[in-house]
Amino acid sequence: MLDKLNGAFDPEHSSAVTLERRRLGLTALDRSKTAGGYTLYARQTGGGVVDMVDIEGRIAHQWTMPVRPGRDAVILPNGNLGYNGSHATSAALYPAWDLWHGGDFYEATPDGEIVWRHEDIYHHHDAQWLPNGDLLYTVAAELPAHLAKRICGGDPRKDGADGIFQSDIVRQVNRKGEVVWEWCIWDHIDPADLPVHPIFDRRHWPMINGVSETKDGLILMSLRTTSGVIAVEKATGRIVWHAGTDVVAQQHTPIMMDDGTVLVFDNGNLRVGSSNPYSRALQFDPKTMETVWAYADPNAPSFFSPFMGSAQRLANGNTLICESAFGRLFEVTQAGEIAWEFVIPDFAEYPAPLNQFIKGSHNGCFRAHRYAAEQVSWL
């Protein structure tokens, strides 16, 4: 098997997992091009371990949280860790719910002391820790029966026997856990206007898998099972724009740039006009829906994460990309040159009951985040 420290390979004791037989840890570093800093990620199969690695790929700091990650971990402005944990007794809404629910949020000091906790058993996927300390996230909620009948597309054979369909509410809570803002998607979009992709389970429409707040008071939302990104005016609840299947495909983590463009991890499942799936980091102008920048591998199918994924614009103009399904974190220049690459070297199986949906040994993470040295001055 591959030695994580020196890259030595013993073919007589190799792993059955293809990725684990390849190079792990730091695989590329161009000091003249990288933005430098520290990269944070929470291993989906790490049981609660959150790692921060330096530009050499060495562990600079590590947390062990009380529960496995629901999805993400970030460094907050005060230097603490914001952690989206998987709630041990989350709502059991449908069979695959355990794959993407979270609902057990923690703030922890660099030493691991828990200083804040918030629980919401209906939370799933992404969350954003706002500058004022509030938490913005998505919860699942039962779609009213008369609207559930209007869901189209997808695979009706997978509909539950109970006839219940879930939809999404975006919720903001303060430090006391009080709800200070909510937005319900079915009050603004008719399910018939956003069909679920073929073959997909219809029991969760449209599955908001990413949320972020812009400096101009918009809430960006990523719609997974229907493919699309919408911008909601927070003050009025109005949908300002919608980037549909002609722009993105099964995307994650939309973030607005300073110039008003949007950076998104475009997974590429079921992309319109493409028979071979591939992922890309995509930056588009929501006023025109035109692409202003994109990165895809020169051999396009070589970069592909069918689920999860993120892209972060760095201070020097580079982009940190997380190819989540395969634990590959890499930094590219505006010209598409590789400045840094790190493959998470830790593999494990998902715990039950998740392992009935995702089998085998994995090194994936939901997102990765790069921080400058001054943002983690406690190191």
Side-chain angles (χ1 to χ4, degrees), residues 174-324:
N174 62 21
R175 297 290 288 185
K176 296 179 181 180
E178 301 165 331
V179 177
V180 296
W181 184 80
E182 272 193 347
W183 186 86
C184 178
I185 192 166
W186 65 79
D187 287 339
H188 302 272
I189 301 178
D190 186 335
D193 292 336
L194 283 182
V196 177
H197 278 300
I199 79 172
F200 268 73
D201 192 327
R202 301 164 6 132
R203 280 176 287 186
H204 196 153
W205 171 92
M207 190 181 287
I208 298 176
N209 64 8
V211 291
S212 65
E213 184 172 11
T214 77
K215 63 182 180 181
D216 297 324
L218 298 178
I219 306 297
L220 304 188
M221 307 178 188
S222 168
L223 317 180
R224 169 68 169 177
T225 64
T226 61
S227 285
V229 177
I230 58 175
V232 173
E233 190 175 58
K234 193 174 184 181
T236 65
R238 179 176 65 94
I239 296 176
V240 177
W241 53 258
H242 174 206
T245 56
D246 56 335
V247 180
V248 291
Q250 298 278 292
Q251 71 301 307
H252 282 76
T253 61
I255 301 292
M256 184 165 284
M257 303 290 97
D258 289 339
D259 63 1
T261 61
V262 175
L263 182 66
V264 65
F265 185 93
D266 188 32
N267 293 76
N269 308 22
L270 305 172
R271 179 177 284 119
V272 173
S274 175
S275 59
N276 296 314
Y278 64 91
S279 295
R280 59 181 179 166
L282 171 68
Q283 186 176 356
F284 67 91
D285 184 344
K287 295 178 181 178
T288 64
M289 298 301 165
E290 296 295 323
T291 297
V292 298
W293 179 84
Y295 170 82
D297 195 277
N299 180 7
S302 297
F303 165 35
F304 177 55
S305 183
F307 47 85
M308 304 187 292
S310 66
Q312 175 192 355
R313 183 60 41 80
L314 305 179
N316 69 345
N318 288 357
T319 303
L320 177 71
I321 300 172
C322 176
E323 187 181 4
S324 293

Side-chain angles (χ1 to χ4, degrees), residues 293 295 317-321 330-334 336-340:
W293 179 84
Y295 170 82
N318 288 357
T319 303
L320 177 71
I321 300 172
F330 62 105
E331 178 187 348
V332 299
T333 68
Q334 283 286 304
E337 304 162 303
I338 300 295
W340 181 85

Side-chain angles (χ1 to χ4, degrees), residues 37-70:
Y38 298 85
T39 304
L40 184 81
Y41 60 89
R43 294 179 247 147
Q44 285 293 293
T45 57
V49 173
V50 180
D51 294 303
M52 179 182 286
V53 297
D54 64 17
I55 208 65
E56 302 278 356
R58 300 170 300 203
I59 297 292
H61 197 74
Q62 193 174 74
W63 292 260
T64 300
M65 300 303 290
V67 295
R68 67 173 297 272

